[in-house]
Amino acid sequence: MELLLLDEFQIIFNNYLDRRLKEISCEKEFNDLLGYTPQSGGKRLRPYIIYLLSNALGLPQAVYMELGLGVELFHSGSLIQDDLPSLDNDDFRRGRPSLHKYCGEGSAMLIADYLMLYPGKIFLALPLSAKAILNLLKLWYEASLQVIEGEFFDVNIKAKKMEEIEKVHRLKTASLFGFCFSAPFVCAERFLEAFEMNKAGIDFGRAFQIFDDIKDKLGKSETLGKTPGKDEAQNRPSILKHMKVEDAKGYAERLYSKALEKIKQNEVRKALITVRELIEEH
Amino acid sequence: MELLLLDEFQIIFNNYLDRRLKEISCEKEFNDLLGYTPQSGGKRLRPYIIYLLSNALGLPQAVYMELGLGVELFHSGSLIQDDLPSLDNDDFRRGRPSLHKYCGEGSAMLIADYLMLYPGKIFLALPLSAKAILNLLKLWYEASLQVIEGEFFDVNIKAKKMEEIEKVHRLKTASLFGFCFSAPFVCAERFLEAFEMNKAGIDFGRAFQIFDDIKDKLGKSETLGKTPGKDEAQNRPSILKHMKVEDAKGYAERLYSKALEKIKQNEVRKALITVRELIEEH
């Protein structure tokens, strides 16, 4: 079968997500809130990358959909937290009220905890060898802990020198893309390639963050799904403090190309070139 | 060697915790805040239970101290969150300002995330067979996710019927004791006994929570380390809404005895009888 395009994959992934969320065994009231943010849309870029590479490696759907599910739940949990008044204080996310506006801050925080812890349980249950699962979980803890550390520096770094900004991006955004790029190789027990692909994913994630900062500066509320110009107004670490938009764009494009060069599978590289246009559009 | 008493174990555990916290590879500013709550004292009851049972099973120190460390870090993370204004809103913890009073709410929340995720990484690195680690992590995800779900119901349950209160206690408090009782058996690959010990730990945890509620009602600020009468004033689920103090005490003592009956190791049972006096004192 030909590789699915991102918008085709989104439909399949969203159906899968709906079904799997219902299977999480907890009380109905809690379960409804668990789905509020993950089911509110989003590009599903991280699960899509996992799908592309897994497909090229011949991994079964039961593996790559679960990997994508875990990453997307964690990502949703981290967005719920980001929106809280003590962090970014954003009342809207993907065009809907943020979770804490819907159910209160305390409950939103606990839902975020659950979504960030749950992926470990998902990955543990994958139909893989013990060796693959243990290596996957090791990779997962590195990435997920780095996301939290990155959010901490995002809030607390004062000087915002170029290298500090890049450190925040690497920890907060790029580490999760590093996981998406290398997890399929770990599941396929191709551990040496996994290591190289992690680096490719980090370059990809750095590029993604710069494109995102450019969108925040130039974007409109409708396409952004959140308040434009907010990151800048809140003095969040953005590379645009040190570079003109055009230069930043060129820098991100070079990082993106560098990431793609490491991908040996032609069809995956092609799909990710198409994805770049979607990431860049504003 | 004879079994250590709780206060002897505390000294050894606290030294171990100090050393291990320093080894967590992250930036100094972040690392300092990570230790603030775990290093602020506490009875270390959960790591002590793990020590007692592990010792009886002949598990090496490298296993039981790491198990205790993981549980204590998670527990600290959950206390940091509990103290936040959107949950219990407590400015003091163990006689010191709560973490969010020290470093702000956003940072405290991120430190809590890190402390709740980190144990998975610790358990993954234990010097055990792949089978034991995978089973241990399964047990860990069940317990840690239940704690979060329990906190959610603690905040959101309105009716507070007896069975609802007991459900909150079972999820929020007892599930972590269930882990402490059964984890050493999982590490020793005695999986059938582990299952039974989980139930014993849950009864132990339910008793512990009732003793704690009694202390909150009757206790003084100095021994409690937090504001006494606060749980009651905040209308938190307490069994004392449905029972007189003396009856609740009797109920807790019966649960405690039921838990101890399941423990076959004489010296562990004796140590836990001594512990009961410490839990009950106010």
Side-chain angles (χ1 to χ4, degrees):
Chain A
M1 199 174 89
E2 268 198 38
L3 280 176
L4 297 168
L5 296 172
L6 179 56
D7 56 355
E8 296 166 335
F9 175 79
Q10 278 167 2
I11 296 168
I12 294 167
F13 182 81
N14 289 345
N15 287 335
Y16 188 81
L17 179 81
D18 291 348
R19 200 174 74 242
R20 286 288 283 112
L21 275 168
K22 278 195 205 103
E23 286 169 16
I24 295 181
S25 65
C26 56
E27 298 276 328
K28 193 183 174 307
E29 189 188 350
F30 190 73
N31 196 288
D32 289 346
L33 292 177
L34 273 184
Y36 184 89
T37 303
Q39 290 174 312
S40 71
K43 287 187 291 294
R44 313 303 186 193
L45 180 58
R46 293 165 188 81
Y48 184 58
I49 291 168
I50 290 170
Y51 154 73
L52 291 175
L53 289 162
S54 298
N55 203 284
L57 295 172
L59 289 174
Q61 189 173 345
V63 169
Y64 63 74
M65 291 302 266
E66 290 292 290
L67 278 177
L69 178 71
V71 169
E72 203 66 5
L73 294 185
F74 182 89
H75 179 55
S76 296
S78 111
L79 295 178
I80 291 168
Q81 273 203 166
D82 268 358
D83 289 339
L84 286 170
S86 57
L87 292 175
D88 287 0
N89 192 23
D90 214 317
D91 291 352
F92 290 94
R93 166 71 59 185
R94 295 171 185 160
R96 293 169 75 193
S98 304
L99 183 60
H100 69 276
K101 299 303 285 184
Y102 179 71
C103 71
E105 285 177 43
S107 295
M109 189 165 64
L110 293 167
I111 294 290
D113 287 346
Y114 202 92
L115 291 170
M116 291 191 289
L117 280 169
Y118 201 80
K121 182 173 166 161
I122 293 176
F123 301 151
L124 190 63
L126 285 174
L128 296 169
S129 74
K131 187 182 174 192
I133 290 177
L134 293 175
N135 276 287
L136 182 71
L137 284 171
K138 199 172 162 196
L139 187 71
W140 174 246
Y141 285 116
E142 290 304 325
S144 56
L145 289 166
Q146 281 182 1
V147 171
I148 306 298
E149 199 183 343
E151 287 180 2
F152 178 86
F153 287 114
D154 192 1
V155 182
N156 286 291
I157 275 179
K158 310 283 179 315
K160 300 189 171 59
K161 288 177 202 155
M162 182 71 173
E163 62 267 30
E164 287 179 337
I165 292 169
E166 296 221 89
K167 192 179 96 177
V168 168
H169 289 181
R170 210 163 44 240
L171 290 168
K172 185 181 169 172
T173 308
S175 63
L176 206 53
F177 281 103
F179 178 83
C180 296
F181 272 67
S182 66
F185 289 85
V186 173
C187 292
E189 304 197 23
R190 291 162 67 160
F191 300 115
L192 276 178
E193 286 161 275
F195 184 74
E196 276 307 299
M197 290 307 285
N198 197 277
K199 290 193 270 184
I202 285 171
D203 282 335
F204 182 96
R206 290 169 66 200
F208 175 85
Q209 183 62 58
I210 297 169
F211 288 136
D212 209 56
D213 286 346
I214 295 172
K215 275 200 286 190
D216 178 76
K217 199 182 172 81
L218 307 178
K220 300 191 190 79
S221 190
E222 306 91 82
T223 54
L224 208 58
K226 60 178 184 176
T227 322
K230 180 131 193 175
D231 296 349
E232 201 184 1
Q234 288 191 333
N235 202 23
R236 280 282 173 277
S238 162
I239 208 171
L240 298 171
K241 286 192 196 309
H242 297 276
M243 275 186 184
K244 287 190 198 131
V245 168
E246 275 314 301
D247 293 339
K249 198 163 173 262
Y251 183 41
E253 280 166 0
R254 284 193 298 280
L255 285 168
Y256 205 99
S257 300
K258 198 176 147 209
L260 261 51
E261 276 166 22
K262 288 208 172 73
I263 298 174
K264 295 191 188 103
Q265 295 78 7
N266 244 326
E267 71 285 11
V268 177
R269 217 168 40 236
K270 261 193 237 163
L272 288 176
I273 288 167
T274 313
V275 160
R276 198 185 76 185
E277 292 158 26
L278 296 167
I279 298 174
E280 281 195 78
E281 82 184 6
H282 48 259
Chain B
M1 198 175 87
E2 270 199 39
L3 280 175
L4 298 168
L5 297 172
L6 179 55
D7 56 355
E8 295 166 338
F9 175 79
Q10 279 167 2
I11 296 167
I12 294 167
F13 183 80
N14 289 344
N15 288 335
Y16 188 80
L17 180 81
D18 291 348
R19 199 173 75 242
R20 285 288 281 113
L21 275 168
K22 277 194 206 106
E23 286 169 16
I24 295 181
S25 65
C26 55
E27 297 278 328
K28 192 181 176 308
E29 189 187 351
F30 191 74
N31 196 290
D32 288 346
L33 291 177
L34 272 185
Y36 183 88
T37 303
Q39 290 174 313
S40 70
K43 287 186 291 291
R44 313 302 186 193
L45 181 58
R46 293 165 189 81
Y48 184 59
I49 291 169
I50 290 170
Y51 153 74
L52 291 175
L53 290 163
S54 298
N55 202 284
L57 296 172
L59 289 174
Q61 189 173 346
V63 170
Y64 64 72
M65 291 301 266
E66 289 293 289
L67 279 177
L69 177 72
V71 169
E72 203 67 4
L73 293 185
F74 182 88
H75 179 56
S76 296
S78 110
L79 296 177
I80 291 167
Q81 274 204 163
D82 269 0
D83 288 340
L84 286 170
S86 57
L87 291 175
D88 287 0
N89 192 23
D90 214 317
D91 291 352
F92 290 92
R93 167 68 61 185
R94 296 171 183 159
R96 294 169 74 192
S98 305
L99 183 60
H100 69 274
K101 298 303 285 183
Y102 179 71
C103 71
E105 285 178 43
S107 295
M109 190 165 63
L110 294 166
I111 294 289
D113 287 345
Y114 202 93
L115 291 170
M116 291 191 289
L117 277 170
Y118 200 80
K121 182 172 166 163
I122 293 176
F123 301 152
L124 193 62
L126 285 173
L128 297 169
S129 74
K131 189 183 174 190
I133 290 176
L134 292 175
N135 275 286
L136 182 72
L137 284 171
K138 199 172 163 196
L139 188 72
W140 175 245
Y141 291 127
E142 290 303 325
S144 55
L145 288 166
Q146 282 182 359
V147 171
I148 305 298
E149 200 183 343
E151 287 180 1
F152 178 85
F153 288 114
D154 193 2
V155 182
N156 285 290
I157 276 179
K158 309 285 177 318
K160 299 190 170 62
K161 288 178 204 155
M162 183 70 174
E163 62 266 29
E164 289 179 339
I165 292 169
E166 297 220 270
K167 192 179 96 177
V168 168
H169 289 180
R170 210 164 44 242
L171 291 167
K172 185 180 169 172
T173 308
S175 62
L176 206 53
F177 282 104
F179 178 84
C180 295
F181 272 67
S182 65
F185 289 84
V186 173
C187 292
E189 302 197 26
R190 291 163 67 160
F191 299 116
L192 277 177
E193 286 162 277
F195 184 73
E196 276 306 301
M197 290 307 285
N198 198 277
K199 290 194 268 184
I202 284 170
D203 283 335
F204 182 96
R206 290 169 66 200
F208 175 85
Q209 182 62 59
I210 297 169
F211 288 135
D212 209 55
D213 287 346
I214 295 172
K215 275 200 285 190
D216 177 74
K217 198 181 172 80
L218 307 178
K220 300 192 191 76
S221 190
E222 306 89 82
T223 54
L224 209 58
K226 60 178 182 176
T227 322
K230 180 131 192 176
D231 296 348
E232 203 185 357
Q234 288 191 331
N235 202 24
R236 278 284 173 275
S238 162
I239 208 170
L240 298 171
K241 286 192 197 309
H242 296 276
M243 275 186 184
K244 286 188 198 136
V245 168
E246 274 315 300
D247 294 339
K249 197 164 175 262
Y251 183 42
E253 281 167 359
R254 283 192 301 279
L255 285 169
Y256 204 99
S257 299
K258 200 177 146 207
L260 262 51
E261 275 165 24
K262 288 210 174 72
I263 297 173
K264 295 192 186 101
Q265 296 76 7
N266 243 327
E267 71 284 11
V268 177
R269 218 167 41 234
K270 261 192 235 164
L272 288 177
I273 289 168
T274 313
V275 161
R276 198 184 75 184
E277 292 157 25
L278 296 168
I279 297 175
E280 281 195 76
E281 83 183 5
H282 48 259

